[in-house]
Amino acid sequence: MRYRLLTAAFAATAALNIAGPVQAAELEVTHWWTSGGEAAAVAEFAKAFDASGHKWIDGAIAGSGGTARPIMISRITGGDPMGATQFNHGRQAEELVEAGLMRDLTDIAEEGKWREVVHPSSLLDSCTLDGKIYCVPVNIHSQQWLWLSNAAFEKAGVPVPTNWEEYAAAAPALEEAGIIPLAVGQQPWQTTLAFQVLLTAIAGPDAYTKIFGEKDADLAAGEELAKVFEAAAQARSMSAKSNVQDWNQATNMVITGQAAGQIMGDWAQGEFQVAGQVAGKDYTCLPGLGVNEVIMTGGDAFYFPVLDDEEKSAAQADLAKLMLSPEVQVAFNLKKGSLPVRGDVDLEAANDCMKKGLEILAQGNIIQSPDQLMSADSLTQINDLFVEFFNNTSITAEDAQKRFVDLVANAD
């Protein structure tokens, strides 16, 4: 797929202001984008929506998606729906859709030819239930990245690694230099993310898909996964002195050189950009830990609860169209550090790491996100396992693998 720069990319506000809505309305939009890079990105949505004549009412909820989603769901099921709300691609809103609480966007999608422009098609498939489209995918976020502080490795007197093996081997030198080898926050999803990235890098993309998608318990119990759990134990040791909570706090440890690296999604790029750091100069990125370079086609999507208000419903439709417009896709994703879901736009201003992601995507080296493959309840149980594993060194890699096998066997 070839991406082309749209010359109007940075004139989104002016372009969208040409024809305002018939009736302006205020629309509350809930999301969990509160870090520096995330706030800069979501502001692009708000700016475009306000420029159309409507009013964006920001409903940011501090914390991660795990904190925000229950609040969002409670409001929708409790009869106090917002105008639009963020979820991840996949099955997180499945029960709300089945209950008839989410708006059918099929007519808007057909008008905008979303099936033709959204790439890869699995993103829109994850918004589809019984042939109807219920959400707007706004970006492609991949968690398959290792972010490294060039200054930390220079201080430790070792070369910047090119893969996981070299990185792990550098841990003693980093510790001797007073640097934490691996920054990991205490939010539950972060340890699971690290494990999933290790699984994909060490055992391979096929193994990841068979375990999370096909629930292959036999594979989960095998020798290849034993190597993954050994690497997870190694990561646990490397992150032992990482005592921060939020993911962006862990990213800041890498930015400031307190930590040498972080396994985190490409949304970390937004934090590096806000800090004024330059890819390839101040920091290095290794997709797939430098072992298996793949892009996970997860990301963020917006759902629109059913509203009994004609003006707000019209505003919902306008916002859905804006979020997938070429101009807004470029403006938003440049700030977010993610890749656009449209296959007909380019980020010419993309940094080296973003360009790596675009190249991998163009090659078709993609896997689906856990949310697209496994239910939220099953993923929560796996999250709990790895929180316990990373916080309790008495749990061996062998013990954790046995418990993981049981969870996979009973997952849906």
Side-chain angles (χ1 to χ4, degrees):
M1 174 176 56
R2 185 171 70 88
Y3 289 82
R4 302 184 305 276
L5 176 67
L6 299 177
T7 56
F10 298 102
T13 300
L16 293 169
N17 215 5
I18 294 174
V22 175
Q23 186 69 45
E26 293 185 348
L27 208 63
E28 181 191 9
V29 184
T30 54
H31 58 88
W32 57 82
W33 288 328
T34 56
S35 74
E38 292 173 328
V42 76
E44 295 295 334
F45 281 150
K47 182 168 64 175
F49 190 60
D50 288 350
S52 74
H54 294 300
K55 179 63 178 176
W56 174 289
I57 305 299
D58 198 71
I61 300 173
S64 66
T67 300
R69 279 190 295 273
I71 298 172
M72 297 166 174
I73 292 170
S74 178
R75 282 191 53 184
I76 295 169
T77 58
D80 181 28
M82 61 295 290
T85 188
Q86 174 194 8
F87 283 106
N88 296 119
H89 303 151
R91 301 173 59 183
Q92 291 176 352
E94 192 171 78
E95 293 182 1
L96 295 173
V97 172
E98 291 173 340
L101 297 174
M102 289 300 190
R103 176 172 175 171
D104 179 0
L105 304 175
T106 307
D107 58 338
I108 298 172
E110 290 178 347
E111 179 187 346
K113 299 182 179 179
W114 292 2
R115 288 285 179 196
E116 296 179 20
V117 300
V118 173
H119 178 84
S121 59
S122 59
L123 297 177
L124 206 55
D125 292 341
S126 294
C127 288
T128 305
L129 188 66
D130 296 331
K132 296 180 179 179
I133 297 172
Y134 289 93
C135 69
V136 183
V138 296
N139 59 13
I140 301 171
H141 259 320
S142 179
Q143 64 188 42
Q144 309 291 323
W145 296 83
L146 175 60
W147 305 92
L148 302 172
S149 165
N150 290 358
F153 287 96
E154 182 178 354
K155 180 180 178 181
V158 293
V160 176
T162 62
N163 57 47
W164 171 259
E165 186 176 349
E166 294 176 3
Y167 175 50
L174 292 164
E175 291 175 333
E176 188 175 339
I179 298 168
I180 297 170
L182 178 64
V184 179
Q186 295 300 307
Q187 291 167 309
W189 59 270
Q190 293 188 54
T191 48
T192 306
L193 180 149
F195 170 77
Q196 292 165 353
V197 175
L198 286 165
L199 191 164
T200 306
I202 295 171
D206 289 343
Y208 160 81
T209 300
K210 287 180 180 178
I211 289 171
F212 280 88
E214 300 175 20
K215 321 302 185 291
D216 191 333
D218 291 334
L219 179 57
E223 292 184 7
E224 283 301 308
L225 264 291
K227 296 176 183 177
V228 175
F229 276 89
E230 290 170 6
Q234 197 171 25
R236 177 175 64 182
S237 176
M238 292 168 66
S239 63
K241 295 182 180 180
S242 176
N243 58 0
V244 295
Q245 176 68 22
D246 296 337
W247 70 268
N248 53 304
Q249 293 174 321
T251 305
N252 187 63
M253 293 177 69
V254 180
I255 291 171
T256 57
Q258 299 174 66
Q262 179 190 27
I263 299 173
M264 186 50 59
D266 52 11
W267 49 88
Q269 288 193 87
E271 304 305 301
F272 284 101
Q273 290 182 67
V274 168
Q277 295 213 334
V278 178
K281 176 184 175 183
D282 301 306
Y283 66 97
T284 296
C285 57
L286 297 180
L289 306 186
V291 184
N292 273 300
E293 295 190 351
V294 296
I295 288 293
M296 179 174 285
T297 58
D300 302 293
F302 278 83
Y303 286 77
F304 297 79
V306 173
L307 299 179
D308 187 19
D309 185 308
E310 187 173 333
E311 292 179 3
K312 289 184 183 295
S313 294
Q316 286 180 322
D318 289 339
L319 180 57
K321 295 173 185 177
L322 281 174
M323 286 178 161
L324 261 185
S325 68
E327 300 87 357
V328 176
Q329 274 283 294
V330 171
F332 169 76
N333 283 291
L334 280 175
K335 296 286 179 66
K336 193 68 169 65
S338 49
L339 304 179
V341 300
R342 291 188 65 114
D344 56 354
V345 300
D346 181 27
L347 305 180
E348 187 172 280
N351 62 34
D352 290 346
C353 294
M354 295 174 74
K355 288 177 180 176
K356 285 183 181 180
L358 288 169
E359 290 171 2
I360 296 168
L361 182 64
Q363 292 165 4
N365 296 336
I366 59 177
I367 57 175
Q368 289 183 291
S369 72
D371 295 309
Q372 293 171 293
L373 300 173
M374 191 175 281
S375 72
D377 287 342
S378 295
L379 287 175
T380 297
Q381 294 176 48
I382 291 174
N383 280 348
D384 292 343
L385 167 62
F386 285 102
V387 169
E388 187 179 355
F389 175 71
F390 268 76
N391 288 318
N392 185 352
T393 56
S394 68
I395 301 176
T396 66
E398 293 80 5
D399 290 339
Q401 184 176 8
K402 290 177 182 177
R403 291 172 58 181
F404 180 68
V405 170
D406 290 337
L407 292 176
V408 171
N410 292 291
D412 58 9

